[in-house]
Amino acid sequence: MPADTLTSAPAQVLPLAHAIRALAMDAVQQANSGHPGAPMGMAEMAQALWTRHLKHNPANPLWADRDRFVLSNGHASMLIYAALHLTGYDLPVAQLKAFRQLHSATPGHPEVDVTPGVETTTGPLGQGITNAVGMALAEKLLAAEFNRDGHAIVDHHTYVFLGDGCLMEGVSHEACGLAGAWKLNKLIALYDDNGISIDGQVAPWFVDDTAARFKAYGWNVIGPVDGHDVDALDAALAAARQSTDKPSFILCKTAIGKGSPNRAGTAKAHGEPLGGEEIALTRAALGWAHEPFELPDALRAAWDQRAAGAEREAEWDARFAAYSAAFPELAAEFTRRMAGELPKHFAEIAVEAVGTAHDKAETVASRKASQLALEHFTAALPELLGGSADLTGSNLTNTKSTPALRFDAAGAVVKDELGRVGRHINYGVREFGMAAIMNGIALHGGYIPYGGTFLTFSDYSRNAIRMAALMKRRVVHVFTHDSLGLGEDGPTHQSIEHAASLRLIPNLDVWRPADTTETAVAWTMALANKHRPTALLLSRQNLPYAPKTDADVITQGAYVLSEPSDVGMKKAAQAVIIATGSEVQLALHAQQLLAQAKIAVRVVSMPSTTVFDRQDMAYKTAVLPPKLPRIAVEAGVTDFWWKYGCAAVVGIDRFGESAPAGVLFKLFGFTPENVALTVRKVLGK
């Protein structure tokens, strides 16, 4: 008898895949919510992969050289929960019974760090496959960097299940095109081609020749394969694993809701419980004579991967021990980076970067200030992996330590004349793809990704930025050309609402620095934030250096930059001007104008509202005294600033114009004179 079946009764042979079908329909029914059809349709796909190919250890979901599995069609979450439970992860049946319930380990869509064995949070379609591209890229680069002859310590695959919805989402095009260009041969995608979405048969609106599409990307296309034939799937996976220069795409023909007499192959199987009557019929059709959530011991034993997983990891441990003996420094570096820890001397690196900026006091655009800081950090942190969405010369994300990433015709990573692996990625015009790939890189471990584009194009990236914040992953977005200051390109490129909009995303730190020192501090904070992504909003135009005596206070997100005494006044402040980025200089010049009129004001630079908001009340009131009226100045929408109790805001609530930056700033009131006038009006002077 094949190992993938077991005898339930003298005349009946029960496929292992039925366990997934039963658990999926039972959990969705108990929750009265969820998607039973896709797990039931992909059950054999999961069986073939999880019992015959996937290299993993249920006892250690974080084993460094495990294969990565991504369920891109995350609504099929009961498939991965069932597979994790059956193969021996710490996911007991009680958690399956608590599917979609508060604080369970089985949320509606898979969430990383919530369920052991879940590699990424999926649900927004298309992003899972894109995360997987990032994971496969990280594996390939780490292998090129750390493996040595006879010592392959990085050698694993990334597997993805995806459906029609993922392929309809444009981000899949962005990512899969790059996967072909990068020749990610250890990336294997299994396409659940069931022809059904929520609205019904997809034929009227999804007519792509998917196989031809992926061949055009440079993928190894296998199939169509019968998605319910475990042996055929096994053979397809084995063939895919032999690829040396192409990612593989296995086209699996399946029936959604497989096993359900009345729902299989229909949209009714997609997003609602089957119902008690249909479940009873399905049990009979499958020959499944077990109560809800009950599994026969023989079936559990057939699925169990704990012993095999422990053996695989023990074998790797022995190889890593030999590697450590031969290359102790490399082994220590690999261990540090996979743990996501910064070098022990990171504080000294940061002090050097910030101190250099402070000492030089240069007048440069903050995008250039970012590059200057990156020169320090990329030289000292080999895990920094940069890139740009076809705007390298504008974003200034490249440095002397980050050669361009390239691959040869055979798919090998090209090293430069110094033997360095490329660490700056040309993503092409793919902002969304870049952002979601960076999430995958961060999820894999070993690298800290950062990538650049114009701030206005953060809209393209937004959902992936949100996912990084939700997943608590260290990803750095370098958004340049942050305001009207970009000038002649006009309102299509001038950010108005973007800074405020990004600040609304929970767990995302947003920095809009005013000079080189603030920019270096922003980078320091971004790199030190292990569990939070960061957006850096940077200017195109030059910004004068703002003299300051203490750089440490910048880490609080806002600080007193200038008191009345700094402009020769001997009286206490009568108001506070709060400014960010390029508008800090306006605030300082307005302070001088007001001093001439014997009006004393304090200037507060607030490079990060998100960081400032986390400070204790004592610090907040020290910076923004409750009894002093506040006037905010930022070249963006005004609504955001009212939460700070401002009496007035100098901002812009309309789209810009195409003209030189100086003309635009004057047109829209971003002048020292207008800021001073606004303060005078607030004070009744």
Side-chain angles (χ1 to χ4, degrees), residues 41 109 177 198 206 225 256 272 282 353 390 422 445 508 528 591 619 639 678:
H109 291 81
I198 293 174
F206 186 49
V225 175
I256 191 171
E272 62 185 67
T282 304
D390 203 46
L508 172 69
Q591 181 193 39
Y619 183 78
D639 276 357
T678 303

Side-chain angles (χ1 to χ4, degrees), residues 2-182:
D4 299 306
T5 61
L6 62 97
T7 301
S8 173
Q12 183 184 29
V13 174
L14 205 58
L16 299 193
H18 285 359
I20 290 179
R21 293 191 171 95
L23 291 172
M25 64 184 182
D26 289 344
V28 171
Q29 185 67 27
Q30 176 143 319
N32 196 30
S33 173
H35 302 75
M40 295 173 73
M42 294 191 291
E44 283 84 6
M45 293 163 59
Q47 177 188 332
L49 176 62
W50 284 72
T51 67
R52 299 190 185 184
H53 292 275
L54 194 69
K55 182 177 72 172
H56 62 121
N57 181 8
N60 183 11
L62 300 180
W63 169 29
D65 200 40
R66 68 192 181 277
D67 288 339
R68 270 58 169 181
F69 173 74
V70 174
L71 185 68
S72 189
N73 42 352
H75 55 273
S77 54
M78 267 311 303
L79 179 133
I80 191 171
Y81 298 151
L84 291 168
H85 170 73
L86 290 165
T87 54
Y89 284 76
D90 184 16
L91 194 67
V93 71
Q95 291 295 338
L96 303 187
K97 293 178 179 179
F99 178 54
R100 289 185 163 231
Q101 304 309 300
L102 184 65
H103 302 318
S104 78
T106 50
H109 291 81
E111 296 183 34
V112 68
D113 298 332
V114 172
T115 312
V118 169
E119 301 283 0
T120 179
T121 300
T122 55
L125 295 176
Q127 288 196 62
I129 176 64
T130 309
N131 293 164
V133 171
M135 293 176 187
L137 177 63
E139 190 275 345
K140 189 162 192 170
L141 296 182
L142 286 168
E145 188 174 351
F146 285 99
N147 288 354
R148 295 294 183 268
D149 289 344
H151 297 276
I153 62 161
V154 182
D155 185 13
H156 55 265
H157 286 79
T158 300
Y159 295 96
V160 197
F161 284 6
L162 72 161
D164 294 315
C166 293
L167 295 179
M168 290 186 226
E169 290 286 358
V171 71
S172 69
H173 168 68
E174 298 182 26
C176 293
L178 282 170
W182 295 337

Side-chain angles (χ1 to χ4, degrees), residues 179-523:
W182 295 337
K183 304 180 186 298
L184 300 179
N185 61 297
K186 290 186 178 177
L187 173 63
I188 300 175
L190 290 86
Y191 168 35
D192 177 32
D193 184 11
N194 61 37
I196 296 291
S197 68
I198 293 174
D199 283 352
Q201 292 282 345
V202 301
W205 55 84
F206 186 49
V207 298
D208 299 21
D209 184 338
T210 301
R213 170 183 166 185
F214 276 79
K215 286 178 182 175
Y217 291 147
W219 286 53
N220 171 38
V221 176
I222 300 173
V225 175
D226 181 350
H228 303 301
D229 183 333
V230 176
D231 290 333
L233 291 162
D234 176 36
L237 284 162
R241 290 175 58 179
Q242 297 304 309
S243 177
T244 59
D245 62 348
K246 294 181 177 69
S248 292
F249 184 85
I250 304 175
L251 200 158
C252 308
K253 289 290 187 180
T254 63
I256 191 171
K258 174 75 170 176
S260 170
N262 298 302
R263 298 285 183 91
T266 73
K268 290 288 286 182
H270 177 83
E272 62 185 67
L274 296 182
E277 182 178 342
E278 185 66 16
I279 286 177
L281 293 172
T282 304
R283 276 185 152 74
L286 296 177
W288 189 265
H290 306 286
E291 293 299 311
F293 299 103
E294 286 189 4
L295 301 170
D297 290 341
L299 185 147
R300 287 190 176 278
W303 268 101
D304 194 341
Q305 296 292 307
R306 287 175 292 184
E311 184 177 341
R312 291 187 193 102
E313 185 172 0
E315 188 271 335
W316 183 84
D317 286 343
R319 288 191 288 111
F320 190 72
Y323 179 82
S324 299
F327 309 101
E329 292 183 0
L330 279 175
E333 178 71 358
F334 178 79
T335 301
R336 174 188 74 79
R337 284 172 52 178
M338 291 304 294
E341 301 298 335
L342 295 173
K344 291 181 179 179
H345 61 296
F346 176 73
E348 289 83 355
I349 301 165
V351 167
E352 179 186 2
V354 174
T356 299
H358 179 67
D359 293 343
K360 289 188 174 181
E362 294 176 282
T363 293
V364 295
S366 53
R367 59 174 174 152
K368 181 62 179 178
S370 170
Q371 187 180 47
L372 293 173
L374 276 172
E375 289 289 359
H376 290 272
F377 291 120
T378 56
L381 276 69
E383 60 263 45
L384 279 174
L385 182 61
S388 172
D390 203 46
L391 289 167
T392 300
S394 295
N395 303 145
L396 304 182
T397 45
N398 58 331
T399 71
K400 296 173 184 176
S401 301
T402 57
L405 177 62
R406 296 291 184 267
F407 302 89
D408 66 20
V413 178
V414 174
K415 297 184 179 181
D416 70 4
E417 61 277 4
L418 299 178
R420 301 179 302 179
V421 171
R423 289 169 53 202
H424 190 272
I425 302 170
N426 300 105
Y427 286 98
V429 187
R430 298 180 176 96
E431 295 86 359
F432 192 1
M434 175 178 70
I437 286 170
M438 289 198 297
N439 288 351
I441 293 169
L443 286 157
H444 181 279
Y447 292 103
I448 300 174
Y450 68 92
T453 188
F454 289 170
L455 177 57
T456 192
F457 300 145
S458 65
D459 288 336
Y460 288 129
S461 310
R462 187 177 181 85
N463 199 259
I465 299 170
R466 182 179 188 271
M467 293 302 292
L470 175 61
M471 295 189 288
K472 301 179 181 177
R473 284 318 188 260
R474 178 168 44 193
V475 178
V476 185
H477 293 271
V478 180
F479 293 129
T480 68
H481 297 60
D482 69 343
S483 73
L484 296 168
L486 69 85
E488 293 86 348
D489 277 344
T492 57
H493 287 52
Q494 292 162 358
S495 294
I496 300 295
E497 74 280 16
H498 295 85
S501 177
L502 288 169
R503 290 168 181 149
L504 295 175
I505 298 177
N507 200 49
L508 172 69
D509 271 357
V510 180
W511 287 82
R512 188 169 184 252
D515 60 17
T516 53
T517 299
E518 287 190 2
T519 305
V521 170
W523 265 109

